[in-house]
Amino acid sequence: MDIQPDLQEKFYEDEVVGTMPVDARTRQPFGFLHGGASLVLAESLASVGSWLNIDASVHAAVGLEINANHLRPVREGKVRGTATPIHRGTQTHVWQISIEDDNGKSICSSRCTMAIITR
């Protein structure tokens, strides 16, 4: 599956925003956005956010845990995710990711923990 979220909307240490299409690549067999695709967007945003908060020449940020509540279905259009940090420690970062549909309605709430490791 080739899912390429667009992570260029906002790119700051305390907020990362990106979008993802809802199309044949991201729908499950019943025609709705696949929950796993929402998690791809969520973890991608958290990964970029953590990368912006570390010295990437010394450390790397890798996914440790992710969870999500899928709140409403989406059939088409784009979804927009916003990641904000809850915790930025030396060994872990925790990000809250809110995903909305084209109408600004919340479709998914996710939390992602990133491990900060030495390269």
Side-chain angles (χ1 to χ4, degrees), residues 30-94:
F30 302 108
F32 299 109
L33 176 65
H34 195 291
S38 294
L39 289 173
V40 168
L41 177 59
E43 188 166 340
S44 296
L45 294 169
S47 294
V48 169
S50 284
W51 173 76
L52 290 169
N53 282 278
I54 62 173
D55 179 351
S57 68
V58 177
H59 295 101
V62 296
L64 182 63
E65 190 272 342
I66 190 165
N67 66 58
N69 292 98
H70 305 289
L71 306 172
R72 70 173 25 96
V74 179
R75 288 187 180 270
E76 60 188 12
K78 280 188 178 182
V79 292
R80 180 177 188 258
T82 302
T84 55
I86 297 171
H87 166 75
R88 287 178 281 192
T90 57
Q91 296 183 330
T92 60
H93 292 177
V94 180

Side-chain angles (χ1 to χ4, degrees), residues 101-112:
D101 65 14
D102 283 332
N103 298 314
K105 291 185 177 180
S106 185
I107 64 127
C108 180
S109 178
S110 179
R111 189 182 67 241
C112 183

